PDB file of all heavy atoms in Angstrom:
ATOM      1  N   ILE A   1       0.843  -1.219  -0.021  1.00 95.00           N
ATOM      2  CA  ILE A   1      -0.026   0.006  -0.022  1.00 95.00           C
ATOM      3  C   ILE A   1       0.918   1.247   0.027  1.00 95.00           C
ATOM      4  O   ILE A   1       1.796   1.448   0.891  1.00 95.00           O
ATOM      5  CB  ILE A   1      -0.919   0.001   1.249  1.00 95.00           C
ATOM      6  CG1 ILE A   1      -2.031  -1.055   0.996  1.00 95.00           C
ATOM      7  CG2 ILE A   1      -1.597   1.366   1.477  1.00 95.00           C
ATOM      8  CD1 ILE A   1      -3.039  -1.195   2.215  1.00 95.00           C
ATOM      9  N   LEU A   2       0.657   2.132  -0.929  1.00 92.00           N
ATOM     10  CA  LEU A   2       1.350   3.425  -1.059  1.00 92.00           C
ATOM     11  C   LEU A   2       0.531   4.458  -0.526  1.00 92.00           C
ATOM     12  O   LEU A   2      -0.687   4.603  -1.030  1.00 92.00           O
ATOM     13  CB  LEU A   2       1.821   3.695  -2.586  1.00 92.00           C
ATOM     14  CG  LEU A   2       2.532   2.613  -3.170  1.00 92.00           C
ATOM     15  CD1 LEU A   2       2.871   3.114  -4.639  1.00 92.00           C
ATOM     16  CD2 LEU A   2       3.745   2.097  -2.552  1.00 92.00           C
ATOM     17  N   THR A   3       0.932   5.297   0.276  1.00 89.00           N
ATOM     18  CA  THR A   3       0.336   6.610   0.733  1.00 89.00           C
ATOM     19  C   THR A   3       1.278   7.756   0.414  1.00 89.00           C
ATOM     20  O   THR A   3       2.443   7.529   0.130  1.00 89.00           O
ATOM     21  CB  THR A   3       0.003   6.554   2.279  1.00 89.00           C
ATOM     22  OG1 THR A   3       1.272   6.686   2.994  1.00 89.00           O
ATOM     23  CG2 THR A   3      -0.676   5.262   2.649  1.00 89.00           C
ATOM     24  N   PRO A   4       0.826   8.973   0.450  1.00 83.00           N
ATOM     25  CA  PRO A   4       1.617  10.069   0.203  1.00 83.00           C
ATOM     26  C   PRO A   4       2.950  10.128   1.067  1.00 83.00           C
ATOM     27  O   PRO A   4       3.950  10.644   0.628  1.00 83.00           O
ATOM     28  CB  PRO A   4       0.782  11.342   0.461  1.00 83.00           C
ATOM     29  CG  PRO A   4      -0.592  10.820   0.137  1.00 83.00           C
ATOM     30  CD  PRO A   4      -0.599   9.394   0.658  1.00 83.00           C
ATOM     31  N   GLY A   5       2.896   9.553   2.284  1.00 81.00           N
ATOM     32  CA  GLY A   5       4.072   9.676   3.160  1.00 81.00           C
ATOM     33  C   GLY A   5       4.801   8.337   3.460  1.00 81.00           C
ATOM     34  O   GLY A   5       5.854   8.312   4.049  1.00 81.00           O
ATOM     35  N   SER A   6       4.067   7.180   3.265  1.00 88.00           N
ATOM     36  CA  SER A   6       4.578   5.960   3.737  1.00 88.00           C
ATOM     37  C   SER A   6       4.219   4.827   2.836  1.00 88.00           C
ATOM     38  O   SER A   6       3.308   4.937   1.896  1.00 88.00           O
ATOM     39  CB  SER A   6       4.118   5.628   5.115  1.00 88.00           C
ATOM     40  OG  SER A   6       4.534   6.676   6.018  1.00 88.00           O
ATOM     41  N   THR A   7       4.839   3.639   3.056  1.00 90.00           N
ATOM     42  CA  THR A   7       4.445   2.383   2.374  1.00 90.00           C
ATOM     43  C   THR A   7       4.132   1.373   3.490  1.00 90.00           C
ATOM     44  O   THR A   7       4.760   1.412   4.557  1.00 90.00           O
ATOM     45  CB  THR A   7       5.517   1.816   1.442  1.00 90.00           C
ATOM     46  OG1 THR A   7       6.598   1.520   2.227  1.00 90.00           O
ATOM     47  CG2 THR A   7       5.790   2.786   0.365  1.00 90.00           C
ATOM     48  N   TYR A   8       3.181   0.489   3.249  1.00 94.00           N
ATOM     49  CA  TYR A   8       2.673  -0.439   4.270  1.00 94.00           C
ATOM     50  C   TYR A   8       2.418  -1.689   3.570  1.00 94.00           C
ATOM     51  O   TYR A   8       1.940  -1.823   2.437  1.00 94.00           O
ATOM     52  CB  TYR A   8       1.419  -0.019   4.974  1.00 94.00           C
ATOM     53  CG  TYR A   8       1.403   1.324   5.679  1.00 94.00           C
ATOM     54  CD1 TYR A   8       1.185   2.451   5.017  1.00 94.00           C
ATOM     55  CD2 TYR A   8       1.576   1.373   7.019  1.00 94.00           C
ATOM     56  CE1 TYR A   8       1.135   3.661   5.696  1.00 94.00           C
ATOM     57  CE2 TYR A   8       1.630   2.558   7.803  1.00 94.00           C
ATOM     58  CZ  TYR A   8       1.390   3.742   7.085  1.00 94.00           C
ATOM     59  OH  TYR A   8       1.262   4.867   7.727  1.00 94.00           O
ATOM     60  N   ARG A   9       2.716  -2.835   4.316  1.00 95.00           N
ATOM     61  CA  ARG A   9       2.030  -4.118   4.028  1.00 95.00           C
ATOM     62  C   ARG A   9       0.632  -3.990   4.455  1.00 95.00           C
ATOM     63  O   ARG A   9       0.296  -3.328   5.484  1.00 95.00           O
ATOM     64  CB  ARG A   9       2.682  -5.356   4.764  1.00 95.00           C
ATOM     65  CG  ARG A   9       4.152  -5.533   4.284  1.00 95.00           C
ATOM     66  CD  ARG A   9       4.205  -5.960   2.830  1.00 95.00           C
ATOM     67  NE  ARG A   9       5.500  -6.294   2.269  1.00 95.00           N
ATOM     68  CZ  ARG A   9       5.800  -6.424   1.102  1.00 95.00           C
ATOM     69  NH1 ARG A   9       4.832  -6.367   0.183  1.00 95.00           N
ATOM     70  NH2 ARG A   9       7.056  -6.633   0.658  1.00 95.00           N
ATOM     71  N   PRO A  10      -0.363  -4.613   3.780  1.00 97.00           N
ATOM     72  CA  PRO A  10      -1.718  -4.546   4.180  1.00 97.00           C
ATOM     73  C   PRO A  10      -2.062  -4.728   5.617  1.00 97.00           C
ATOM     74  O   PRO A  10      -2.795  -3.955   6.274  1.00 97.00           O
ATOM     75  CB  PRO A  10      -2.422  -5.551   3.281  1.00 97.00           C
ATOM     76  CG  PRO A  10      -1.590  -5.693   2.098  1.00 97.00           C
ATOM     77  CD  PRO A  10      -0.121  -5.509   2.585  1.00 97.00           C
ATOM     78  N   GLU A  11      -1.418  -5.722   6.249  1.00 97.00           N
ATOM     79  CA  GLU A  11      -1.683  -6.040   7.633  1.00 97.00           C
ATOM     80  C   GLU A  11      -1.160  -4.864   8.565  1.00 97.00           C
ATOM     81  O   GLU A  11      -1.745  -4.630   9.655  1.00 97.00           O
ATOM     82  CB  GLU A  11      -1.075  -7.375   8.083  1.00 97.00           C
ATOM     83  CG  GLU A  11       0.411  -7.542   7.858  1.00 97.00           C
ATOM     84  CD  GLU A  11       0.768  -8.027   6.478  1.00 97.00           C
ATOM     85  OE1 GLU A  11      -0.026  -7.922   5.594  1.00 97.00           O
ATOM     86  OE2 GLU A  11       1.957  -8.495   6.333  1.00 97.00           O
ATOM     87  N   HIS A  12      -0.120  -4.263   8.228  1.00 96.00           N
ATOM     88  CA  HIS A  12       0.399  -3.114   8.926  1.00 96.00           C
ATOM     89  C   HIS A  12      -0.459  -1.900   8.764  1.00 96.00           C
ATOM     90  O   HIS A  12      -0.718  -1.190   9.785  1.00 96.00           O
ATOM     91  CB  HIS A  12       1.888  -2.797   8.581  1.00 96.00           C
ATOM     92  CG  HIS A  12       2.864  -3.939   8.866  1.00 96.00           C
ATOM     93  ND1 HIS A  12       3.880  -4.168   8.032  1.00 96.00           N
ATOM     94  CD2 HIS A  12       2.835  -4.909   9.723  1.00 96.00           C
ATOM     95  CE1 HIS A  12       4.499  -5.256   8.534  1.00 96.00           C
ATOM     96  NE2 HIS A  12       3.980  -5.685   9.593  1.00 96.00           N
ATOM     97  N   TYR A  13      -0.950  -1.672   7.559  1.00 96.00           N
ATOM     98  CA  TYR A  13      -1.885  -0.570   7.371  1.00 96.00           C
ATOM     99  C   TYR A  13      -3.165  -0.850   8.166  1.00 96.00           C
ATOM    100  O   TYR A  13      -3.609   0.129   8.927  1.00 96.00           O
ATOM    101  CB  TYR A  13      -2.257  -0.396   5.881  1.00 96.00           C
ATOM    102  CG  TYR A  13      -3.161   0.683   5.551  1.00 96.00           C
ATOM    103  CD1 TYR A  13      -2.614   1.955   5.218  1.00 96.00           C
ATOM    104  CD2 TYR A  13      -4.596   0.537   5.564  1.00 96.00           C
ATOM    105  CE1 TYR A  13      -3.449   3.085   5.021  1.00 96.00           C
ATOM    106  CE2 TYR A  13      -5.410   1.629   5.276  1.00 96.00           C
ATOM    107  CZ  TYR A  13      -4.824   2.907   5.003  1.00 96.00           C
ATOM    108  OH  TYR A  13      -5.674   3.984   4.821  1.00 96.00           O
ATOM    109  N   TYR A  14      -3.677  -2.014   8.168  1.00 96.00           N
ATOM    110  CA  TYR A  14      -4.889  -2.303   8.896  1.00 96.00           C
ATOM    111  C   TYR A  14      -4.775  -2.138  10.321  1.00 96.00           C
ATOM    112  O   TYR A  14      -5.658  -1.739  11.043  1.00 96.00           O
ATOM    113  CB  TYR A  14      -5.308  -3.779   8.605  1.00 96.00           C
ATOM    114  CG  TYR A  14      -6.497  -4.227   9.239  1.00 96.00           C
ATOM    115  CD1 TYR A  14      -7.845  -3.997   8.662  1.00 96.00           C
ATOM    116  CD2 TYR A  14      -6.498  -4.886  10.443  1.00 96.00           C
ATOM    117  CE1 TYR A  14      -8.966  -4.341   9.302  1.00 96.00           C
ATOM    118  CE2 TYR A  14      -7.694  -5.220  11.134  1.00 96.00           C
ATOM    119  CZ  TYR A  14      -8.853  -4.988  10.476  1.00 96.00           C
ATOM    120  OH  TYR A  14     -10.014  -5.387  11.156  1.00 96.00           O
ATOM    121  N   SER A  15      -3.619  -2.354  10.942  1.00 95.00           N
ATOM    122  CA  SER A  15      -3.378  -2.091  12.340  1.00 95.00           C
ATOM    123  C   SER A  15      -3.462  -0.738  12.751  1.00 95.00           C
ATOM    124  O   SER A  15      -3.777  -0.385  13.988  1.00 95.00           O
ATOM    125  CB  SER A  15      -1.977  -2.710  12.838  1.00 95.00           C
ATOM    126  OG  SER A  15      -0.954  -1.988  12.291  1.00 95.00           O
ATOM    127  N   ASN A  16      -3.258   0.244  11.790  1.00 94.00           N
ATOM    128  CA  ASN A  16      -3.375   1.706  12.111  1.00 94.00           C
ATOM    129  C   ASN A  16      -4.760   2.263  11.516  1.00 94.00           C
ATOM    130  O   ASN A  16      -5.292   3.304  12.127  1.00 94.00           O
ATOM    131  CB  ASN A  16      -2.256   2.407  11.500  1.00 94.00           C
ATOM    132  CG  ASN A  16      -0.906   2.111  12.260  1.00 94.00           C
ATOM    133  OD1 ASN A  16      -0.683   2.601  13.370  1.00 94.00           O
ATOM    134  ND2 ASN A  16      -0.061   1.380  11.541  1.00 94.00           N
ATOM    135  N   PHE A  17      -5.233   1.753  10.485  1.00 96.00           N
ATOM    136  CA  PHE A  17      -6.371   2.333   9.835  1.00 96.00           C
ATOM    137  C   PHE A  17      -7.378   1.216   9.449  1.00 96.00           C
ATOM    138  O   PHE A  17      -6.939   0.360   8.584  1.00 96.00           O
ATOM    139  CB  PHE A  17      -5.948   3.043   8.575  1.00 96.00           C
ATOM    140  CG  PHE A  17      -4.760   4.066   8.737  1.00 96.00           C
ATOM    141  CD1 PHE A  17      -3.566   3.664   8.451  1.00 96.00           C
ATOM    142  CD2 PHE A  17      -4.964   5.306   9.314  1.00 96.00           C
ATOM    143  CE1 PHE A  17      -2.453   4.579   8.665  1.00 96.00           C
ATOM    144  CE2 PHE A  17      -3.947   6.168   9.447  1.00 96.00           C
ATOM    145  CZ  PHE A  17      -2.650   5.801   9.158  1.00 96.00           C
ATOM    146  N   ASN A  18      -8.501   1.176   9.987  1.00 96.00           N
ATOM    147  CA  ASN A  18      -9.472   0.122   9.700  1.00 96.00           C
ATOM    148  C   ASN A  18     -10.833   0.497   9.994  1.00 96.00           C
ATOM    149  O   ASN A  18     -11.144   1.513  10.741  1.00 96.00           O
ATOM    150  CB  ASN A  18      -9.083  -1.180  10.457  1.00 96.00           C
ATOM    151  CG  ASN A  18      -9.114  -0.896  11.941  1.00 96.00           C
ATOM    152  OD1 ASN A  18     -10.134  -0.906  12.592  1.00 96.00           O
ATOM    153  ND2 ASN A  18      -7.925  -0.707  12.573  1.00 96.00           N
ATOM    154  N   TYR A  19     -11.736  -0.172   9.249  1.00 96.00           N
ATOM    155  CA  TYR A  19     -13.235   0.010   9.495  1.00 96.00           C
ATOM    156  C   TYR A  19     -13.584  -0.814  10.715  1.00 96.00           C
ATOM    157  O   TYR A  19     -13.373  -2.008  10.797  1.00 96.00           O
ATOM    158  CB  TYR A  19     -14.029  -0.389   8.363  1.00 96.00           C
ATOM    159  CG  TYR A  19     -13.579   0.351   7.119  1.00 96.00           C
ATOM    160  CD1 TYR A  19     -12.670  -0.094   6.158  1.00 96.00           C
ATOM    161  CD2 TYR A  19     -14.186   1.586   6.770  1.00 96.00           C
ATOM    162  CE1 TYR A  19     -12.327   0.562   5.065  1.00 96.00           C
ATOM    163  CE2 TYR A  19     -13.796   2.275   5.626  1.00 96.00           C
ATOM    164  CZ  TYR A  19     -12.908   1.710   4.712  1.00 96.00           C
ATOM    165  OH  TYR A  19     -12.530   2.459   3.611  1.00 96.00           O
ATOM    166  N   LYS A  20     -14.365  -0.170  11.577  1.00 94.00           N
ATOM    167  CA  LYS A  20     -14.792  -0.871  12.756  1.00 94.00           C
ATOM    168  C   LYS A  20     -15.730  -1.934  12.371  1.00 94.00           C
ATOM    169  O   LYS A  20     -16.694  -1.768  11.596  1.00 94.00           O
ATOM    170  CB  LYS A  20     -15.571   0.059  13.810  1.00 94.00           C
ATOM    171  CG  LYS A  20     -14.630   1.091  14.425  1.00 94.00           C
ATOM    172  CD  LYS A  20     -15.427   1.974  15.454  1.00 94.00           C
ATOM    173  CE  LYS A  20     -15.751   1.174  16.639  1.00 94.00           C
ATOM    174  NZ  LYS A  20     -16.453   2.003  17.704  1.00 94.00           N
ATOM    175  N   GLY A  21     -15.547  -3.174  12.879  1.00 93.00           N
ATOM    176  CA  GLY A  21     -16.423  -4.306  12.549  1.00 93.00           C
ATOM    177  C   GLY A  21     -16.039  -5.082  11.230  1.00 93.00           C
ATOM    178  O   GLY A  21     -16.722  -6.066  10.909  1.00 93.00           O
ATOM    179  N   LEU A  22     -15.040  -4.520  10.674  1.00 96.00           N
ATOM    180  CA  LEU A  22     -14.584  -5.284   9.339  1.00 96.00           C
ATOM    181  C   LEU A  22     -13.200  -5.823   9.631  1.00 96.00           C
ATOM    182  O   LEU A  22     -12.255  -5.148   9.829  1.00 96.00           O
ATOM    183  CB  LEU A  22     -14.538  -4.209   8.227  1.00 96.00           C
ATOM    184  CG  LEU A  22     -14.366  -4.850   6.746  1.00 96.00           C
ATOM    185  CD1 LEU A  22     -15.536  -5.677   6.324  1.00 96.00           C
ATOM    186  CD2 LEU A  22     -14.057  -3.710   5.740  1.00 96.00           C
ATOM    187  N   SER A  23     -13.143  -7.193   9.492  1.00 96.00           N
ATOM    188  CA  SER A  23     -11.913  -7.897   9.750  1.00 96.00           C
ATOM    189  C   SER A  23     -10.863  -7.675   8.716  1.00 96.00           C
ATOM    190  O   SER A  23     -11.291  -7.163   7.602  1.00 96.00           O
ATOM    191  CB  SER A  23     -12.185  -9.408   9.856  1.00 96.00           C
ATOM    192  OG  SER A  23     -12.506  -9.986   8.663  1.00 96.00           O
ATOM    193  N   LEU A  24      -9.656  -7.933   9.025  1.00 97.00           N
ATOM    194  CA  LEU A  24      -8.529  -7.806   8.010  1.00 97.00           C
ATOM    195  C   LEU A  24      -8.816  -8.628   6.714  1.00 97.00           C
ATOM    196  O   LEU A  24      -8.701  -8.120   5.622  1.00 97.00           O
ATOM    197  CB  LEU A  24      -7.149  -8.283   8.639  1.00 97.00           C
ATOM    198  CG  LEU A  24      -5.963  -8.456   7.655  1.00 97.00           C
ATOM    199  CD1 LEU A  24      -5.650  -7.048   7.085  1.00 97.00           C
ATOM    200  CD2 LEU A  24      -4.806  -9.046   8.367  1.00 97.00           C
ATOM    201  N   GLN A  25      -9.322  -9.863   6.927  1.00 96.00           N
ATOM    202  CA  GLN A  25      -9.586 -10.721   5.729  1.00 96.00           C
ATOM    203  C   GLN A  25     -10.786 -10.154   4.888  1.00 96.00           C
ATOM    204  O   GLN A  25     -10.668 -10.137   3.677  1.00 96.00           O
ATOM    205  CB  GLN A  25     -10.014 -12.083   6.208  1.00 96.00           C
ATOM    206  CG  GLN A  25      -8.867 -12.933   6.870  1.00 96.00           C
ATOM    207  CD  GLN A  25      -8.464 -12.378   8.293  1.00 96.00           C
ATOM    208  OE1 GLN A  25      -9.224 -11.781   8.945  1.00 96.00           O
ATOM    209  NE2 GLN A  25      -7.235 -12.694   8.712  1.00 96.00           N
ATOM    210  N   ASP A  26     -11.801  -9.624   5.635  1.00 97.00           N
ATOM    211  CA  ASP A  26     -12.916  -9.072   4.833  1.00 97.00           C
ATOM    212  C   ASP A  26     -12.541  -7.801   4.162  1.00 97.00           C
ATOM    213  O   ASP A  26     -12.972  -7.486   3.129  1.00 97.00           O
ATOM    214  CB  ASP A  26     -14.106  -8.807   5.814  1.00 97.00           C
ATOM    215  CG  ASP A  26     -14.754 -10.123   6.270  1.00 97.00           C
ATOM    216  OD1 ASP A  26     -14.584 -11.237   5.520  1.00 97.00           O
ATOM    217  OD2 ASP A  26     -15.493 -10.158   7.330  1.00 97.00           O
ATOM    218  N   TRP A  27     -11.669  -7.010   4.813  1.00 97.00           N
ATOM    219  CA  TRP A  27     -11.297  -5.755   4.203  1.00 97.00           C
ATOM    220  C   TRP A  27     -10.492  -5.980   2.971  1.00 97.00           C
ATOM    221  O   TRP A  27     -10.603  -5.347   1.906  1.00 97.00           O
ATOM    222  CB  TRP A  27     -10.432  -4.979   5.328  1.00 97.00           C
ATOM    223  CG  TRP A  27      -9.625  -3.741   4.659  1.00 97.00           C
ATOM    224  CD1 TRP A  27     -10.232  -2.600   4.144  1.00 97.00           C
ATOM    225  CD2 TRP A  27      -8.205  -3.699   4.572  1.00 97.00           C
ATOM    226  NE1 TRP A  27      -9.209  -1.829   3.653  1.00 97.00           N
ATOM    227  CE2 TRP A  27      -7.940  -2.401   3.952  1.00 97.00           C
ATOM    228  CE3 TRP A  27      -7.175  -4.536   4.952  1.00 97.00           C
ATOM    229  CZ2 TRP A  27      -6.655  -1.933   3.753  1.00 97.00           C
ATOM    230  CZ3 TRP A  27      -5.882  -4.024   4.704  1.00 97.00           C
ATOM    231  CH2 TRP A  27      -5.632  -2.728   4.111  1.00 97.00           C
ATOM    232  N   ARG A  28      -9.543  -7.013   3.115  1.00 96.00           N
ATOM    233  CA  ARG A  28      -8.771  -7.402   1.860  1.00 96.00           C
ATOM    234  C   ARG A  28      -9.605  -7.802   0.755  1.00 96.00           C
ATOM    235  O   ARG A  28      -9.481  -7.376  -0.396  1.00 96.00           O
ATOM    236  CB  ARG A  28      -7.665  -8.459   2.296  1.00 96.00           C
ATOM    237  CG  ARG A  28      -6.630  -8.090   3.211  1.00 96.00           C
ATOM    238  CD  ARG A  28      -5.598  -9.124   3.210  1.00 96.00           C
ATOM    239  NE  ARG A  28      -4.998  -9.449   1.926  1.00 96.00           N
ATOM    240  CZ  ARG A  28      -3.668  -9.278   1.730  1.00 96.00           C
ATOM    241  NH1 ARG A  28      -2.823  -8.826   2.686  1.00 96.00           N
ATOM    242  NH2 ARG A  28      -3.198  -9.444   0.555  1.00 96.00           N
ATOM    243  N   LYS A  29     -10.676  -8.635   1.104  1.00 95.00           N
ATOM    244  CA  LYS A  29     -11.582  -9.134   0.042  1.00 95.00           C
ATOM    245  C   LYS A  29     -12.422  -8.179  -0.496  1.00 95.00           C
ATOM    246  O   LYS A  29     -12.583  -8.054  -1.773  1.00 95.00           O
ATOM    247  CB  LYS A  29     -12.382 -10.336   0.629  1.00 95.00           C
ATOM    248  CG  LYS A  29     -13.374 -10.905  -0.345  1.00 95.00           C
ATOM    249  CD  LYS A  29     -14.122 -12.046   0.347  1.00 95.00           C
ATOM    250  CE  LYS A  29     -15.074 -12.706  -0.636  1.00 95.00           C
ATOM    251  NZ  LYS A  29     -15.854 -13.807   0.002  1.00 95.00           N
ATOM    252  N   GLU A  30     -13.039  -7.188   0.318  1.00 95.00           N
ATOM    253  CA  GLU A  30     -14.002  -6.236  -0.171  1.00 95.00           C
ATOM    254  C   GLU A  30     -13.401  -4.994  -0.829  1.00 95.00           C
ATOM    255  O   GLU A  30     -14.008  -4.395  -1.721  1.00 95.00           O
ATOM    256  CB  GLU A  30     -14.935  -5.852   1.012  1.00 95.00           C
ATOM    257  CG  GLU A  30     -15.792  -6.917   1.531  1.00 95.00           C
ATOM    258  CD  GLU A  30     -16.600  -6.497   2.714  1.00 95.00           C
ATOM    259  OE1 GLU A  30     -16.764  -5.302   2.882  1.00 95.00           O
ATOM    260  OE2 GLU A  30     -17.121  -7.316   3.447  1.00 95.00           O
ATOM    261  N   VAL A  31     -12.149  -4.668  -0.376  1.00 96.00           N
ATOM    262  CA  VAL A  31     -11.527  -3.423  -0.773  1.00 96.00           C
ATOM    263  C   VAL A  31     -10.358  -3.680  -1.724  1.00 96.00           C
ATOM    264  O   VAL A  31     -10.289  -3.125  -2.896  1.00 96.00           O
ATOM    265  CB  VAL A  31     -11.209  -2.505   0.383  1.00 96.00           C
ATOM    266  CG1 VAL A  31     -10.368  -1.221  -0.094  1.00 96.00           C
ATOM    267  CG2 VAL A  31     -12.357  -2.200   1.155  1.00 96.00           C
ATOM    268  N   LEU A  32      -9.456  -4.447  -1.276  1.00 96.00           N
ATOM    269  CA  LEU A  32      -8.122  -4.593  -2.003  1.00 96.00           C
ATOM    270  C   LEU A  32      -8.206  -5.534  -3.087  1.00 96.00           C
ATOM    271  O   LEU A  32      -7.554  -5.435  -4.147  1.00 96.00           O
ATOM    272  CB  LEU A  32      -7.088  -4.997  -1.034  1.00 96.00           C
ATOM    273  CG  LEU A  32      -6.755  -4.117   0.204  1.00 96.00           C
ATOM    274  CD1 LEU A  32      -5.569  -4.608   0.893  1.00 96.00           C
ATOM    275  CD2 LEU A  32      -6.519  -2.661  -0.262  1.00 96.00           C
ATOM    276  N   GLU A  33      -9.010  -6.620  -3.006  1.00 93.00           N
ATOM    277  CA  GLU A  33      -8.854  -7.777  -3.998  1.00 93.00           C
ATOM    278  C   GLU A  33     -10.170  -7.841  -4.821  1.00 93.00           C
ATOM    279  O   GLU A  33     -10.428  -8.851  -5.433  1.00 93.00           O
ATOM    280  CB  GLU A  33      -8.708  -9.040  -3.207  1.00 93.00           C
ATOM    281  CG  GLU A  33      -7.364  -9.069  -2.449  1.00 93.00           C
ATOM    282  CD  GLU A  33      -7.293 -10.223  -1.487  1.00 93.00           C
ATOM    283  OE1 GLU A  33      -8.224 -11.006  -1.417  1.00 93.00           O
ATOM    284  OE2 GLU A  33      -6.146 -10.405  -0.880  1.00 93.00           O
TER     285      GLU A  33
END
């Protein structure tokens, strides 16, 4: 994941920025994949 100031692995991004009630696996499936 590229942001204007940093790069993240998806799991590291998720640990800082996430939707309440949406798991890492569901976020990857619904948004990234």
Side-chain angles (χ1 to χ4, degrees):
I1 288 176
L2 309 182
T3 71
S6 303
T7 61
Y8 300 87
R9 291 298 180 189
E11 58 272 19
H12 297 148
Y13 182 89
Y14 180 87
S15 66
N16 290 288
F17 312 97
N18 59 79
Y19 300 94
K20 292 184 68 174
L22 191 66
S23 68
L24 171 61
Q25 292 73 22
D26 288 341
W27 169 66
R28 290 189 66 116
K29 181 178 179 181
E30 295 179 18
V31 178
L32 303 185
E33 298 172 357

